[in-house]
Amino acid sequence: MKKILLALMILMAFVLTGCGGNNANNTADNSSITQLIRYNVDAEPKTLDPAKSTGLPDGTIELQMLDGLTRYDANQEIQPAAAEDWDISEDGLTYTFKLRDAKWSNGDPVTAQDFVYSWLRALAPETASEYAYQFFYIKGAEDYNSGEGKKEDVALKALDDKTLQVVLNAPAPQFLGLTAFQTYFPVNQKVTEGNPNWFADPKTYVCNGPFKMVSWEHNQKIVMEKNPDYWDAENVKLEKLEIYLIENLDTSFNMYNNGQLDMMNEINAQELPSLQGNNELKIMPDASVYFYRFNVTHKPFDDVRVRKALALAIDRQALVESVMKGGQKPAYAFVPFGFKDNDDKDYRENGGDYFQEDLTEAKKLLAEAGYPDGNGFPKAAIMFNTHENHQKVAEAIQQMWKKNLGIDVTIQNVEWQVYLDRQSNLDYDISRAGWSPDYLDPMSFIDMFVTDGGNNQTGWSNQEYDQLVNRAKSTGDNNVRMESMHQAEKILLDEMPIAPLFFYTHPIMIKENLKNVIVPPFATYADFKWAYVE
């Protein structure tokens, strides 16, 4: 049996779990049932400004309140959202979006100029968006972001209030999917310019999505209500959505068991064996990767031999079987299974593995780097954000490195926002990380590690890698695109600024009376637009 099926089959498995479905027009009479869902997203968001947000908790919360030009449905197909239609020129360069008649939650009309303003704001150098590179497909965008071009030269234009025109540098089949991503979400220009902290207060969070925020108890919960001004309000059945921000998985599990939560985003791995056979446990597909970053600006991690030695001395099968216990797969490459290659086969199956565990080679490399049997290895720490499962992984790897290489490392548990800041500032030695694709294409993984990329966060740079990524982004020839990405991934794993550990699954707990909750295998944790309580 194959380890993971192709993208279409992955998505079908997700739809058939029984807690998803795309029956947005369900006509069941639930008028006597309180349409409230209480859901734990596991962390306080770092920000709810879509131009600056990067984490899955942030993006998940924003998705409930904001509509991009498009939105993914339960089958992970792009559907019209703020845009009711679009046209793509024959050469694949010019996208013309026709916006529907929609309103912001303050009654203002949603206009094409709102999108022009929002995208340029995310691109502006002073915004310092880590995701600005996702706009670089647009002509003039990269030059503006780097300070080498003008805002006026970015090929974004509001032809009228309801027509947005975008011109790309080269055909990019992944571009349409990006218009559903959080950094592409619009903000209200008048509100944003009038209050630079508009996104931090429910009273000023003006939105255009299915729900609007009514309260925010920091590190506790965000309460949303149905947005009556939403263009598709008739298909939004929930009246209220409470999103909890509880990092401790044991606390979250107790709240679920006590009836204080209807859905948990993640479960402590130690609970999974006892939950087998429980109808409320769902192991969802997740096209994401769990990995460790090495800070290559810190010694001894500036030495590729050290990085490789550490990566080769980890027993990934033991991690997934004895620690995670949720059907995860060991990762010997970076891009997960579930993405189509140029031949319609799976990208990962075509690319194969780039390394295997090898203790003999690991010891040899460490000795060549000047640390035979770990002697003289400097103090170092594994940093992870507060989370029981991350701690268990770190402890297991700590023991493996001690046993296999004679290396002592410490582990550091830090709060989510501190973790994000330290990673961005290269204030760590080794840091746990996870990556979920922003859109359904391998490029969502590959372009992370270009020199000075906003999500690189390792200090690593390789000119040939950068050239291959640029080559893949500069052509509409899918054969060239995929070949370039495979070559770039090989370089990444040859130089090991990261150590892939395993490909995710997504174990959740969800009450059986919750219907039409979309749990996508990428980009966000959940979408409640079509959800309801039966």
Side-chain angles (χ1 to χ4, degrees), residues 62-253:
E62 290 166 350
L63 179 63
Q64 317 313 318
M65 298 189 289
L66 295 167
D67 239 2
L69 293 171
T70 60
R71 196 179 192 99
Y72 283 97
D73 66 13
N75 298 312
Q76 297 309 291
E77 294 179 356
I78 285 289
Q79 299 295 337
E84 63 181 4
D85 198 5
W86 52 84
D87 177 72
I88 305 173
S89 61
E90 288 188 11
D91 62 6
L93 296 180
T94 302
Y95 286 65
T96 305
F97 296 93
K98 185 67 176 177
L99 272 62
R100 66 177 75 250
D101 290 328
K103 293 181 180 180
W104 292 98
S105 55
N106 67 351
D108 291 345
V110 177
T111 68
Q113 182 56 40
D114 286 324
F115 282 90
V116 173
Y117 168 79
S118 302
W119 295 7
L120 290 175
R121 175 175 174 264
L123 271 170
E126 59 270 22
T127 301
S129 171
E130 293 180 10
Y131 263 126
Y133 68 89
Q134 295 290 30
F135 291 99
F136 290 177
Y137 298 99
I138 300 171
K139 188 176 180 181
E142 185 170 6
D143 285 344
Y144 173 51
N145 179 254
S146 68
E148 297 178 2
K150 299 178 181 179
K151 177 168 65 174
E152 294 77 17
D153 294 332
V154 180
L156 292 174
K157 186 181 296 184
L159 301 183
D160 56 45
D161 283 350
K162 297 299 179 184
T163 310
L164 174 69
Q165 185 183 81
V166 186
V167 181
L168 308 185
N169 294 302
Q174 65 271 36
F175 178 72
L176 194 61
L178 268 171
T179 63
F181 183 61
Q182 65 199 52
T183 318
Y184 277 70
F185 287 166
V187 297
N188 183 294
Q189 181 174 355
K190 179 177 67 176
V191 170
T192 303
E193 290 183 339
N195 178 5
N197 292 313
W198 65 275
F199 53 86
D201 187 340
K203 295 178 182 177
T204 54
Y205 202 99
V206 172
C207 56
N208 72 326
F211 302 95
K212 61 181 182 179
M213 181 165 43
V214 295
S215 67
W216 184 351
E217 297 175 58
H218 291 281
N219 297 299
Q220 292 297 319
K221 69 177 177 179
I222 288 174
V223 177
M224 300 179 190
E225 293 178 353
K226 178 178 177 177
N227 178 8
D229 291 315
Y230 182 50
W231 68 268
D232 198 26
E234 65 178 323
N235 284 316
V236 179
K237 296 178 174 60
L238 286 184
E239 292 298 330
K240 196 171 184 180
L241 178 62
E242 295 181 357
I243 296 185
Y244 286 76
L245 315 172
I246 309 299
E247 289 190 16
N248 187 282
L249 295 184
D250 292 332
T251 300
S252 177
F253 190 62

Side-chain angles (χ1 to χ4, degrees), residues 7 133-134 137 173-174 287 289 334-342 345-351 435-449 465 469 472-473 478 481-486 488-489 492:
Y133 68 89
Q134 295 290 30
Y137 298 99
Q174 65 271 36
V289 61
F334 187 61
V335 179
F337 294 85
F339 300 93
K340 285 186 178 181
D341 211 325
N342 60 297
K345 294 182 180 179
D346 187 88
Y347 174 94
R348 179 72 285 122
E349 292 200 5
N350 279 353
W435 193 255
S436 181
D438 305 325
Y439 49 93
L440 290 174
D441 190 271
M443 182 56 78
S444 186
F445 294 86
I446 297 299
D447 66 2
M448 282 177 64
F449 295 100
Y465 184 92
V469 173
K473 287 187 170 184
N478 210 39
R481 286 184 69 245
M482 294 298 171
E483 177 190 4
S484 299
M485 286 191 280
H486 281 299
E489 188 179 13
L492 180 70

